[in-house]
Every structure is written in structure tokens, then in C-alpha cells.
Amino acid sequence: MAAQRPPITCHVLDTTTGRPASSIAVTLTLLKPYGPSTPLTATTNSDGRVTAWQHQGGGVQLQEIFDNAAEHAGEHAQMVWALKFDTAAYYGEGNTFWPEVELRFFVKPGEDHYHVPLLLGPWSYTTYRGS
């Protein structure tokens, strides 16, 4: 049986090559309402995607954090999450204007999935809410 998709996923495309950006270290942190949480970590796969998160020390998993925050924040409250991408390690020190890219976004309780693509170049980046 396939693993369940986490409630937050991301995807990085390198705009200089037009290809997926593999092996980028990524962290995911809950900032509000109960954060900042201990970051969850991942590395983009060969398709530039993060499909699973690890919690340092084997702590609470993303789905549990997601469910608990949504349950305790109230029906109309929003969570704020941050994705941080280690772009300096990907391009090499001095080869990019962005040593890291941090994206902060709202998550509404009751929505089951958020996909956050990052289109990345050494001198620019853009993002959007994917599906």
C-alpha cells in the first residue's frame, strides 16, 4: 500500500536548466498558532519533490501537528507555516543571490492538502499554490 501523502508538499524546478532541482535540503516549520515548532526536514528527490517529512529525534509527525493545530486553533483560525530551501548549497556559495529561500503561507483548518512549488533561479524565484 502506498504511503499517505502528507498535508504539505513542495516541488522545486531549476529555471536555468528547465529541470527538477534534486538534493535541496528543505525544512518545514509551524510558526503560528503554536510555533515555532521543531522543523521537519526533507531533501528534494530526483523529480525535485518532497513527498515525505522527517521529524528530528522521531518526534510528532506532520499529520499529527497538522491535525492538532487545526483542532485547537478553531474553525476560522489559520496556521502559518514556513518552508525554507537551502539554495546556497544547491547553486554553491557565491553563485546565487539567495543563500536560502523562505516561503511563509497560511493553512486553513479543514483543507487537506497544500502543494507549494518553487521556480528557482540563482537570481530570482517565484512560487504559487499548486494542486
Side-chain angles (χ1 to χ4, degrees), residues 38-40 53-65:
T38 301
L40 290 98
W53 297 97
Q54 292 78 42
H55 196 282
Q56 296 175 344
V60 178
Q61 297 303 309
L62 176 58
Q63 187 65 54
E64 293 175 79
I65 295 170

Side-chain angles (χ1 to χ4, degrees), residues 1 8 20 101:
M1 185 172 162
I8 298 172
V101 170

